[in-house]
Amino acid sequence: MIILRSIADTRAALDSWRRQGQTIALVPTMGYLHEGHMSLVDEAKKRADRVVVSIYVNPTQFGPNEDLDKYPRDFARDEACCKAHGVDAIFYPDNAVMYCPDHSCWVTEESLSQTMCGAARPGHFRGVTTVVLKLFNITRCDVAVFGRKDAQQALIICRMVRDLNVPVEIVVAPLVREPDGLAMSSRNKYLSDDERRRALSISAGLNQATALFAGGQRQAAALCDLVKTGIANAGGKIDYVVVMDRDSLRPLATVDRPAVLAVAAFFGKTRLIDNVFLD
Ligand code: AMP
């Protein structure tokens, strides 16, 4: 496994694989890897001859009062995880490699990113789409794998690739949970034991809502209320609980087409997101 710190080295290594006729899959991450990330790596291995994991805490997707400085980092541990999963290369750039001091070009998705995390975190998705397109251009990967944990992000990336004719196949892999139901996230590290226990109300609420939906409930408000009550009773601060059309991310009053029930909530200072699909 090679560690690539510059764009020139990355291009040289990946070009040499391409010259041998090998295909390349990219798994973009911000590091502090967990089993959710590694499930994307496993999926990537099935889709291409070589797997590259990028580890980069992208400053442009963080708001001024967010957790950029304290975002968890542990490169040695990430390196060991990647090696154990048969990753071929880690692209591990620093800010000077990724952004010129006078960087002034951005990719902006103008529809799907207006709602949910886009409404709560202005500028977040502009940072995400911009860095992801840069990673695609740096690696010229054939395939890129994203997680359904960030359902809105995955949808926005698919839209970017479609609308800008980016020659990369996007694969969206399932959400991976802890055994007790909590969606795996690097940010779970911030939770105290008590917050973590109370945060289980998110996945528990989504489970209950899924069961209610399976039992025939089609009113979005009833499904959302169930989730909101559980989180509020556990002392969480709700950012949003919504039922959206899964293609357009427009709110649904009645679940009469493929939908996503999505949550963002704070436990203490930690903002957690989670979702389930309603089919
Ligand atoms: P992050 O490092 O949080 O930016 O995430 C990098 C990639 O891993 C994104 O495509 C996420 O959607 C994905 N990911 C993070 N957590 C999970 C999870 N629990 N299950 C599946 N994919 C995940």
Side-chain angles (χ1 to χ4, degrees), residues 132-143:
V132 168
L133 187 63
K134 284 165 71 66
L135 292 168
F136 288 175
N137 286 335
I138 291 165
T139 61
R140 294 194 216 108
C141 56
D142 301 281
V143 182

Side-chain angles (χ1 to χ4, degrees), residues 27-31 34 36-37 39-40 61 71 145-150 153 173-177 183-186:
V27 180
T29 81
M30 298 206 297
H34 51 66
H37 294 116
S39 74
L40 308 187
Q61 70 190 66
Y71 195 85
V145 186
F146 292 84
R148 190 153 288 154
K149 157 86 176 359
D150 300 85
Q153 168 176 285
L175 194 164
V176 178
R177 298 180 179 280
M184 287 191 182
S185 165
S186 307

Side-chain angles (χ1 to χ4, degrees), residues 70-129:
K70 67 179 178 86
Y71 195 85
R73 294 165 169 89
D74 186 344
F75 184 73
R77 184 169 152 278
D78 289 348
E79 192 179 355
C81 272
C82 286
K83 212 177 247 174
H85 279 256
V87 169
D88 295 284
I90 300 179
F91 177 50
Y92 181 47
D94 59 23
N95 288 335
V97 166
M98 289 303 282
Y99 291 100
C100 293
D102 55 352
H103 176 101
S104 58
C105 293
W106 302 94
V107 181
T108 316
E109 192 287 324
E110 297 188 348
S111 172
L112 305 168
S113 51
Q114 300 299 309
T115 181
M116 297 162 62
C117 288
R121 305 180 65 189
H124 169 66
F125 286 118
R126 182 184 82 147
V128 170
T129 44

